[in-house]
Amino acid sequence: MTELSAHLPQFQHGQLTENFPDTHLSNTNDNSERRRHDNSERRRNDNAESETNGQPQSNVQQVVEQDEEEDEELTLKYGAKHVIMLFVPVTLCMVVVVATIKSVSFYTRKDGQLIYTPFTEDTETVGQRALNSILNAAIMISVIIVMTILLVVLYKYRCYKVIHGWLIISSLLLLFFFSFIYLGEVFKTYNVAMDYITVALMIWNFGVVGMICIHWKGPLRLQQAYLIMISALMALVFIKYLPEWTAWLILAVISVYDLIAVLCPKGPLRMLVETAQERNETLFPALIYSSTMIWLVNMAEEDPEAQRKSKNSTSDKQAPASRTQNEDAEADDGGFSQEWQQQRDNRIGPIESTPESRAAVQALPSNSQTSEDPEERGVKLGLGDFIFYSVLVGKASATASGDWNTTLACFVAILIGLCLTLLLLAIFKKALPALPISITFGLVFYFATDNLVQPFMDQLAFHQFYI
Amino acid sequence: MTLAVFFGCTFIAFGPAFGLFIFTIARDPLRIIILIAGAFFWLVSLLLSSLIWFIAVKASDPQDERLQKGLLIFGVMFSVLLQEAFRFLYYKLLRKAIEGLVALSEDGCSPISIQQMAYVAGVGFGLMSGAFSMINLLADALGPGTVGIHGDSQLYFLTSAFMTMVLIFLHTFWGILFFHGCEHRRWWEITAVVIMHLTVSGLVYGAEQAPSQDPEALQDVPIPSHPSPPLPSWRQDRASPSLQYLFSWTGGPWPALVGQALGSICGSQPTSVAETGSLQRPFGSLHKTPQFWGTQLCWPCCELSPS
């Protein structure tokens, strides 16, 4: 475990900051890109969607409050299906994390803490424990802020190679080392006898295919599955190594930071997004979950419009930068920001990652069918969002006295928060952080269910009342 | 227990609801969102009602059993009323949503009608209610143990599963009726739904009064006393309260009600059943307590073949 701790700081530095900015970025960049793209693409998307789907898809709530402008109406239609496109991966990630927490005892065992949270929570007094957890959270958040600022600085001064190397190292660590540990613990839990050669073969294959899928190109579903898996692995690491009060405090502070960093004019993530937009680059690949790649890779024949559209944007990028499109980046940037997608089309493609990373990450098929047809834009969500949602639900299932009731309540709360965030995105059409609403709901429901609802439900079940 | 009971109870409780979900809701993203939002509304209503109950309990004397029981009844009634209030709020929200959907649609009609929304909202309420009632029970059913080993009902899991299934269906139907009543301004429908909900939730209270009506039948019954026996070692690290009621002797609402009805109809039959010695063995101490529907089903048989 000490080895793990030794590796973790470095890893987490990379992964955290990448994820955090990614979280914000995916929202902000996605949003800004969406903003740009949405203006044109969303309309096309909406049109296309309404045509292809046969019925307008709109968010359920407060649809009436939308303007009657054509833009507004069309953007609102970009709703229900994309909400579900995000519900499914978020649910899958949470299910993986909760299933692991419930079965593999390794991730609920206290084996020390990370160096980012040096203060222990095994203190004599409650006050001391509270103080320690506040200090831990403060240190962790400072680390995250520093790494985010470092990332923005690197990006601003075009140190793309450094960023790209950082990303590669993080992915390597996650895909090989953490999954090896995970596999080992699962084998221990189920008492499966295994030899090193088989394990080496499995991990090697898993890791290499993961690197290829995430950083280069691969089938959309496979890439999505890998992103979900690495988010789950990261969340499990957090659940294991963050002490309780620290974890809750960090979740709360991270949502506030997300809000500030994405919405304030001088927020690092916002600056990152704007810089990326100025340069017409995509943000960091492999840190954003996307759902639009499928059109490009899997359903090219079935949905030529989507393909053409994506290729359009990608080809636009390719033209100036001679970079192959990152299907991931393309698809990743779908997400909340429909505007972004539209803008991206307008401007030659999403601006997120460095040119090298984009080139290295994905080489889109060269068949660039120029298409101005509105495509069904996919949704994008940063992996940091996945990670923190899963941390919340995983912690709820690990430590709650209410157990499954609390887990279920947090799960529903997070999904509703996601739905509301998407609705706000449709209304405001700008970069939005995905963490605050969901994490707030999740925290409120966790503490309320654990302390209020659980005793009530216990008494009801004791007397076999049904309400 | 273990897997057989777990799967059996899961499918009894959630099978029909999941069938409804898969065949009618899962295909349409809008319906899934309405479902999840419905579950959320139910959850919020539960949260508020348990907050009220919690405050009441903390403000009262914890030693007074009758008071605690009374507070629980009050909590149940308040929760039911709050659930219906939130159902109304959800109806209002969905009405606004339909107006928006109509405004956004290209042909002037909403992709989903209020009746479909009512159905989905009802399923959402029902699924969440059922899940909250049943999930912890199912998790406990996976582990080792014997139901009713101390003389309680052996059918606790089964009755809970059936009751959960019934509740899910009832919520679905209540949702449809409620929305229909709101749609057409038929207040009697709404009040009927509320009264039905109160009745169903309140049945247990009535059922729990049943044992006192047949004192002779319970004279020689060793009633396990509260608190429940110590939890087995595998449960002690995480003392789930669900096991406490596993060993409790209170049965479900329906057995008690049936027992009441049968008892009142058949007069002194419970006593005569208790006196038939050979029938005692297969049911142990269960046959004398009218709550357990296994015994009530056998009452006529006992009378016919008293040997």
Side-chain angles (χ1 to χ4, degrees):
Chain A
M1 292 309 109
T2 48
E3 308 166 350
L4 203 63
S5 302
H7 286 289
L8 276 173
Q10 181 185 9
F11 171 83
Q12 285 186 342
H13 271 297
Q15 197 63 24
L16 269 180
T17 30
E18 289 166 355
N19 284 334
F20 291 128
D22 194 48
T23 308
H24 311 294
L25 287 175
S26 57
N27 299 322
T28 54
N29 292 325
D30 288 350
N31 291 329
S32 55
E33 291 189 3
R34 291 176 202 135
R35 225 176 312 163
R36 294 172 292 168
H37 296 289
D38 281 343
N39 295 333
S40 56
E41 285 185 5
R42 192 186 296 179
R43 294 169 201 170
R44 290 176 291 174
N45 291 332
D46 294 328
N47 288 328
E49 287 179 18
S50 50
E51 292 163 4
T52 54
N53 297 322
Q55 67 182 20
Q57 299 163 344
S58 55
N59 281 325
V60 176
Q61 303 158 355
Q62 301 163 6
V63 170
V64 281
E65 296 153 23
Q66 298 304 324
D67 302 338
E68 298 306 319
E69 301 171 6
E70 189 182 11
D71 306 347
E72 297 288 333
E73 287 185 3
L74 290 174
T75 55
L76 283 177
K77 291 180 184 177
Y78 180 82
K81 188 157 190 165
H82 301 86
V83 174
I84 302 302
M85 278 203 254
L86 279 187
F87 272 11
V88 173
V90 169
T91 308
L92 278 176
C93 192
M94 288 188 209
V95 162
V96 168
V97 169
V98 170
T100 308
I101 293 280
K102 287 293 183 192
S103 53
V104 180
S105 63
F106 171 74
Y107 288 105
T108 45
R109 211 162 56 215
K110 294 292 295 172
D111 284 331
Q113 298 178 200
L114 302 169
I115 63 165
Y116 301 114
T117 56
F119 297 97
T120 177
E121 286 200 8
D122 294 328
T123 59
E124 290 90 26
T125 66
V126 171
Q128 186 67 26
R129 183 177 187 182
L131 183 66
N132 281 0
S133 55
I134 291 175
L135 289 172
N136 280 340
I139 294 177
M140 185 69 117
I141 293 298
S142 325
V143 165
I144 290 169
I145 293 177
V146 163
M147 302 304 278
T148 312
I149 293 177
L150 180 66
L151 191 69
V152 172
V153 163
L154 282 176
Y155 191 68
K156 243 181 155 49
Y157 291 107
R158 300 180 186 268
C159 307
Y160 296 136
K161 286 201 186 303
V162 178
I163 297 176
H164 190 53
W166 188 1
L167 279 174
I168 295 276
I169 290 177
S170 312
S171 311
L172 275 174
L173 207 54
L174 205 47
L175 279 170
F176 287 94
F177 187 57
F178 282 0
S179 52
F180 169 67
I181 294 185
Y182 179 82
L183 199 62
E185 292 306 321
V186 168
F187 286 150
K188 282 183 208 169
T189 303
Y190 293 106
N191 205 18
V192 174
M194 185 62 65
D195 56 297
Y196 274 115
I197 300 177
T198 312
V199 166
L201 211 59
M202 285 162 61
I203 296 293
W204 172 254
N205 280 306
F206 178 80
V208 169
V209 174
M211 289 300 288
I212 293 176
C213 275
I214 295 173
H215 291 278
W216 194 46
K217 42 178 188 178
L220 179 69
R221 290 292 183 224
L222 196 59
Q223 189 214 19
Q224 290 173 339
Y226 267 106
L227 289 174
I228 292 174
M229 278 189 271
I230 64 175
S231 306
L233 282 174
M234 197 64 217
L236 286 168
V237 165
F238 275 141
I239 294 172
K240 179 176 174 64
Y241 287 108
L242 286 181
E244 272 204 49
W245 291 18
T246 309
W248 298 118
L249 269 177
I250 286 181
L251 278 172
V253 179
I254 266 287
S255 352
V256 173
Y257 170 67
D258 200 15
L259 199 63
I260 296 174
V262 170
L263 295 179
C264 288
K266 281 299 170 190
L269 295 179
R270 186 158 168 166
M271 286 170 52
L272 190 61
V273 170
E274 288 166 359
T275 316
Q277 287 175 1
E278 288 166 19
R279 300 180 192 172
N280 285 336
E281 293 168 355
T282 55
L283 281 172
F284 314 102
L287 291 179
I288 302 180
Y289 174 93
S290 157
S291 57
T292 46
M293 269 180 59
I294 193 169
W295 304 112
L296 287 175
V297 182
N298 289 346
M299 300 166 67
E301 304 80 24
E302 296 155 359
D303 200 348
E305 291 178 351
Q307 194 180 20
R308 280 172 298 176
K309 181 183 166 185
S310 311
K311 293 194 181 153
N312 201 16
S313 48
T314 56
S315 61
D316 288 337
K317 283 197 233 177
Q318 285 176 352
S322 67
R323 296 189 304 240
T324 55
Q325 289 298 332
N326 293 335
E327 299 180 14
D328 295 341
E330 289 296 332
D332 288 344
D333 292 339
F336 287 94
S337 52
Q338 300 130 8
E339 302 164 329
W340 191 12
Q341 309 238 329
Q342 290 175 356
Q343 289 175 359
R344 189 168 61 184
D345 275 355
N346 295 338
R347 292 198 197 181
I348 297 186
I351 297 178
E352 285 196 317
S353 56
T354 64
E356 291 94 356
S357 58
R358 298 207 45 200
V361 168
Q362 284 164 352
L364 273 183
S366 56
N367 48 340
S368 59
Q369 310 167 2
T370 60
S371 164
E372 299 303 322
D373 296 341
E375 293 301 326
E376 186 159 325
R377 297 302 302 177
V379 206
K380 288 189 188 180
L381 187 63
L383 288 197
D385 296 324
F386 278 85
I387 291 174
F388 283 105
Y389 293 163
S390 306
V391 165
L392 195 149
V393 175
K395 268 280 186 222
S397 76
T399 61
S401 63
D403 228 10
W404 289 101
N405 282 351
T406 316
T407 312
L408 201 56
C410 290
F411 167 72
V412 171
I414 287 181
L415 285 188
I416 290 295
L418 195 60
C419 197
L420 284 176
T421 312
L422 277 168
L423 177 67
L424 284 179
L425 180 72
I427 294 176
F428 289 112
K429 300 189 191 61
K430 50 183 278 197
L432 288 182
L435 279 182
I437 301 180
S438 287
I439 298 289
T440 309
F441 276 3
L443 288 175
V444 165
F445 273 82
Y446 170 76
F447 289 108
T449 311
D450 207 28
N451 298 107
L452 300 175
V453 175
Q454 193 50 37
F456 188 49
M457 294 305 293
D458 274 351
Q459 284 298 306
L460 292 183
F462 188 77
H463 298 281
Q464 230 176 4
F465 276 103
Y466 287 90
I467 57 170
Chain B
M1 296 210 293
T2 63
L3 275 184
V5 173
F6 171 77
F7 279 114
C9 288
T10 305
F11 290 137
I12 288 176
F14 295 111
F18 278 144
L20 287 176
F21 174 79
I22 288 173
F23 290 113
T24 60
I25 298 176
R27 296 294 170 90
D28 189 2
L30 205 51
R31 294 184 193 179
I32 297 180
I33 295 176
I34 297 176
L35 182 88
I36 306 264
F40 181 73
F41 270 74
W42 186 89
L43 201 58
V44 173
S45 81
L46 179 70
L47 211 124
L48 292 176
S49 54
S50 49
L51 176 69
I52 304 290
W53 173 82
F54 192 78
I55 293 174
V57 162
K58 286 301 176 196
S60 67
D61 176 21
Q63 304 305 322
D64 191 351
E65 289 285 338
R66 282 192 55 94
L67 180 64
Q68 296 301 317
K69 190 73 184 294
L71 279 179
L72 191 64
I73 306 291
F74 161 72
V76 168
M77 298 298 143
F78 185 73
S79 171
V80 167
L81 292 174
L82 212 56
Q83 281 180 44
E84 297 305 325
F86 269 82
R87 211 194 291 271
F88 182 71
L89 284 177
Y90 197 36
Y91 164 75
K92 284 284 177 211
L93 186 69
L94 287 178
R95 268 246 66 96
K96 279 206 182 136
I98 282 208
E99 291 168 19
L101 286 172
V102 167
L104 287 178
S105 75
E106 299 182 339
D107 53 354
C109 49
S110 164
I112 187 171
S113 68
I114 191 69
Q115 290 84 7
Q116 292 170 342
M117 282 183 169
Y119 159 71
V120 176
V123 174
F125 268 61
L127 271 178
M128 205 60 185
S129 165
F132 259 64
S133 310
M134 200 64 192
I135 288 261
N136 276 332
L137 220 59
L138 291 175
D140 288 332
L142 264 179
T146 304
V147 188
I149 195 170
H150 289 275
D152 307 304
S153 170
Q154 295 172 355
L155 299 165
Y156 179 77
F157 281 160
L158 215 52
T159 55
S160 300
F162 275 107
M163 198 57 198
T164 304
M165 175 185 75
V166 163
L167 245 296
I168 296 179
F169 276 136
L170 280 175
H171 271 289
T172 311
F173 303 149
W174 286 334
I176 298 175
L177 285 175
F178 195 95
F179 278 42
H180 183 260
C182 291
E183 238 350 73
H184 299 275
R185 299 283 185 269
R186 292 191 193 153
W187 306 115
W188 63 268
E189 280 187 24
I190 299 174
T191 43
V193 166
V194 176
I195 290 174
M196 267 193 280
H197 198 167
L198 285 170
T199 312
V200 169
S201 294
L203 274 178
V204 183
Y205 180 63
E208 285 199 336
Q209 305 306 308
S212 58
Q213 298 185 6
D214 295 313
E216 315 89 1
L218 303 175
Q219 268 174 358
D220 45 341
V221 174
I223 299 174
S225 58
H226 300 302
S228 55
L231 299 172
S233 57
W234 62 273
R235 296 288 317 173
Q236 275 170 3
D237 55 331
R238 189 172 61 95
S240 162
S242 57
L243 260 189
Q244 297 176 11
Y245 50 75
L246 190 155
F247 295 110
S248 81
W249 66 288
T250 56
W254 299 114
L257 209 57
V258 171
Q260 252 182 298
L262 279 181
S264 58
I265 292 172
C266 307
S268 64
Q269 272 188 357
T271 5
S272 60
V273 169
E275 286 163 309
T276 51
S278 62
L279 287 169
Q280 297 182 11
R281 205 165 295 120
F283 304 103
S285 62
L286 293 182
H287 71 278
K288 301 187 183 177
T289 48
Q291 285 87 350
F292 307 111
W293 61 337
T295 54
Q296 282 131 36
L297 290 176
C298 290
W299 276 1
C301 308
C302 302
E303 278 305 285
L304 291 174
S305 54
S307 68

